[in-house]
Amino acid sequence: MTLTSFLLFSLLSFLTGTTTPGEKAGAELLFAGDAMQHQAQLDQALKAGGGKTYDYSDCFRLIAPAVTSADYAVVNLEVPLGGGPSYSGYPCFSAPDSYAVALKDAGFDMMLTANNHCLDRGDKGARRTIAALDSLGIDQIGTYHDAADRNRRVPFIKDIKGIKTGFLNYTYGTNGIEPKLGTEVALIDRQRMAEEIRKTREAGAEIIVVAIHWGVEYVLRENATQRSLADFLVDQGVDLVIGGHPHVIQPMEIRRNEKEGKDVLVVYSLGNFISNMKTADTRGGALVRVRIERDDDGKARLAGAVYDTFLSAKPDGLPNFMVVPSSETHRLPGGQRAYWELFDRQATKIFDTYNKGINRQK
């Protein structure tokens, strides 16, 4: 192949998503943590919208290139879309639909809805969230109108660049709020999880991702319950375990499933994606970028993963709350740079000490 032919082929490959000679077929998945919506975020979005609409267009502008570069991106939507005219922050969240629109515009393809705040506006709010995400064309998993809807939506399998990838989402609880009208929330139940993992595999999923809401808030290390549940999921043949809820980062590791002869990614917590939380550990989070590939034997497998950190910046010298990637933190106002340095120093210490097989993206 001449140099000119190679360059033309490379350009065509980039535009069409095909592979270059010698490159294995595969895809990149990206995962982000908890997308919160506190009252200060609502107030600032309303201010940005001139007091008439809730405008989040600046919130994800800087992080969007990292998100859109992935073939499929997933975020935990930790707030119901409860419908107007009133919205609320902690302790019972409700956000306008424009919040989900902004996340979609930033490049997120799927929103996880099984978390401890999914019933903050009761059955009505949970069901409205499902309907709103459907109307916006956003993939979702974790909550369902009723048992029949859960049976219809599970298994959820997405063809991502030729690799059939199944997604499941579970939460430890819903802050004591029980559904009263039959709304289904996917709770951590080992028997039910095993059944749905099996159904997902039997339906053709080559890669299975379990996103799970677990752990203890504000604690930078996973606990014995998380480790035990991760062991269980690995034994069930899951390929990726992606954790959230603690609102701080926790370690991540590549494990070996010897029985099936494959590597498995376990992420204990990605921390906050965006929020108005105050302490340095809660002011940022991690993005995990995962490569899945089809091997020479034709099987789709985890090929590797990298992470990067970012700051969830406040509107102090900025137009709105903003997710600022590590590559852009030099632009932050002085006080926010100090928070970034505190967050990143601690996160780096945890990751460097406890991560296994996962390094920072270069």
Side-chain angles (χ1 to χ4, degrees), residues 92-120:
C92 286
F93 295 116
S94 180
D97 294 356
S98 56
Y99 185 56
V101 172
L103 287 164
K104 179 184 178 182
D105 289 346
F108 286 105
D109 303 286
M110 168 178 277
M111 296 184 190
L112 308 170
T113 59
N115 53 64
N116 57 306
H117 287 288
C118 64
L119 291 178
D120 280 5

Side-chain angles (χ1 to χ4, degrees), residues 141 150-158 166-168 196-205:
I141 198 82
R150 183 172 184 174
N151 289 333
R152 180 177 66 84
R153 293 180 186 257
V154 177
F156 179 94
I157 299 175
K158 194 79 175 181
F167 293 86
L168 294 161
E196 293 188 333
I197 291 166
R198 176 184 54 78
K199 283 176 59 178
T200 302
R201 188 70 75 186
E202 290 176 353

Side-chain angles (χ1 to χ4, degrees), residues 68-85:
T68 57
S69 67
D71 296 304
Y72 197 77
V74 180
V75 66
N76 174 43
L77 182 66
E78 195 153 352
V79 54
L81 305 175

Side-chain angles (χ1 to χ4, degrees), residues 122-143:
D123 292 65
K124 182 179 178 181
R127 289 175 172 178
R128 190 191 178 283
T129 302
I130 296 166
L133 295 178
D134 280 347
S135 70
L136 293 170
I138 300 170
D139 294 340
Q140 59 183 292
I141 198 82
T143 54

